[in-house]
Amino acid sequence: MSNGPLPSTLTLLENLGNFPVQSKVRFLACVDAYYPRTATLLLSHRPLYPPTPAASTKYVRLDITIHVRSLPSGITTNGEWLNVIGYIEEPPEKVLDGHRDTVYVQAIQIWPAGNIDLGAYESSVRERLEVDGPRLGN
């Protein structure tokens, strides 16, 4: 038994809605908008390949409150691709109705993805999910 933190589960943004609350996940996403008042990013990932049948998520609201003062410049810029590790959260009560395509995540770590071959990334993650199976939750 380890006393360290639980590992995150690598997945695609489209599959985040299938994870239970408090699951620790890792995914790649693109910044669509930054809301400084609430310290949240709206993220998306429009896949190059057709989404899986279980895909239910189109957007992530990423809470970056604990990172605001230490974020590198440019990380909140529209179009920036980010690697994210975080915990799935319950949606706020006021948005429970009609927003099933948005998942709420508390960021633990965020960093720029840099130059990424999106097609190769998607293909690699999909292959890994097929081999390993969907490990939903930790």
Side-chain angles (χ1 to χ4, degrees), residues 30-110:
C30 182
V31 176
D32 279 355
Y34 173 50
Y35 303 98
R37 251 181 110 220
T38 58
T40 57
L41 291 170
L42 179 65
L43 306 177
S44 68
H45 178 156
R46 292 164 192 84
L48 298 176
Y49 297 101
T52 60
S56 63
T57 306
K58 293 182 182 169
Y59 300 100
V60 167
R61 287 271 182 188
L62 186 68
D63 182 345
I64 60 170
T65 305
I66 62 175
H67 302 283
V68 168
R69 294 179 193 249
S70 62
L71 288 175
S73 65
I75 206 164
T76 59
T77 304
N78 289 7
E80 181 75 26
W81 282 90
L82 305 176
N83 287 295
V84 178
I85 297 176
Y87 287 102
I88 303 285
E89 293 187 322
E90 286 282 349
E93 278 187 39
K94 62 183 173 188
V95 295
L96 285 176
D97 295 327
H99 291 82
R100 298 189 198 298
D101 62 349
T102 301
V103 171
Y104 292 77
V105 176
Q106 170 65 56
I108 299 171
Q109 192 170 10
I110 333 163

Side-chain angles (χ1 to χ4, degrees), residues 8-16 25-32 42-48 57-60 62 79-86 105 109-126:
S8 59
T9 300
L10 178 63
T11 193
L12 295 169
L13 183 143
E14 68 188 35
N15 297 324
L16 289 173
V25 292
R26 177 178 174 184
F27 60 96
L28 179 75
C30 182
V31 176
D32 279 355
L42 179 65
L43 306 177
S44 68
H45 178 156
R46 292 164 192 84
L48 298 176
T57 306
K58 293 182 182 169
Y59 300 100
V60 167
L62 186 68
E80 181 75 26
W81 282 90
L82 305 176
N83 287 295
V84 178
I85 297 176
V105 176
Q109 192 170 10
I110 333 163
W111 67 100
N115 270 347
I116 186 158
D117 181 339
L118 194 54
Y121 172 83
E122 284 181 22
S123 178
S124 176
V125 173
R126 287 182 197 281

